[in-house]
């Protein structure tokens, strides 16, 4: 068996969780908390060519919103706490989950976009 000269691409979830390049697995996908680097230092993959856009935020609004809403309803039905308790519980939880999960969601969308060779949609005109 011969070894390939190209490093193996990590699974999308691992690349997102650890901030790895989706092509070579090199570190440095992010240059800040939520900002992508310009390119991979190891293989030169241009991260600017990917369009993650607001997809991560849209998914998180739906997912975190559903989880927090369900928890708030369950707490209300079980204990009937005053409104201030709901504010103290759910506002920080919503903000915390969104901030913590945003980096993972952005990295996952970029890795999936790379893996599936996704590009902007185009309409092909027929003859």
């Amino acid at each position: 068996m011969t070894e390939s000269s190209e490093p193996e691409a990590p699974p999308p979830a691992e690349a997102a969780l650890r901030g790895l390049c989706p092509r070579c697995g090199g570190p440095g996908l992010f240059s800040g908390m939520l900002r992508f680097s310009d390119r991979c230092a190891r293989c030169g993959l241009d991260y600017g060519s990917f369009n993650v856009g607001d997809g991560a935020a849209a998914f998180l609004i739906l997912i975190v919103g559903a989880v927090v809403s369900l928890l708030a309803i369950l707490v209300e039905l079980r204990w009937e706490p005053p409104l201030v308790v709901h504010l103290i519980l759910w506002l920080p939880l919503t903000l915390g989950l969104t901030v913590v999960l945003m980096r993972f969601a952005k990295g996952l969308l970029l890795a999936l976009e790379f893996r599936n060779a996704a590009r902007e949609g185009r309409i092909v005109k027929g003859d």
Side-chain angles (χ1 to χ4, degrees), residues 1-9 23:
M1 226 189 274
T2 62
E3 286 187 31
S4 66
S5 61
E6 237 178 85
E8 189 174 321
R23 179 163 59 190

Side-chain angles (χ1 to χ4, degrees), residues 74-124:
L74 291 173
V75 166
E76 179 61 34
L77 292 175
R78 177 78 168 114
W79 293 289
E80 298 180 16
L83 179 60
V84 71
V85 172
H86 282 292
L87 292 173
I88 291 170
L89 287 175
W90 310 123
L91 284 177
L93 181 65
T94 301
L95 290 172
L97 282 174
T98 303
V99 169
V100 167
L101 293 175
M102 183 66 73
R103 181 179 170 107
F104 174 75
K106 286 181 73 168
L108 182 62
L109 286 177
L110 187 138
L112 288 171
E113 189 175 332
F114 171 78
R115 181 179 190 176
N116 296 308
R119 296 292 177 250
E120 184 176 333
R122 292 173 182 82
I123 297 175
V124 178

Side-chain angles (χ1 to χ4, degrees), residues 29-41:
L29 179 62
F30 293 96
S31 64
M33 175 62 181
L34 295 174
R35 187 177 187 283
F36 290 118
S37 298
D38 293 330
R39 61 184 56 251
C40 176

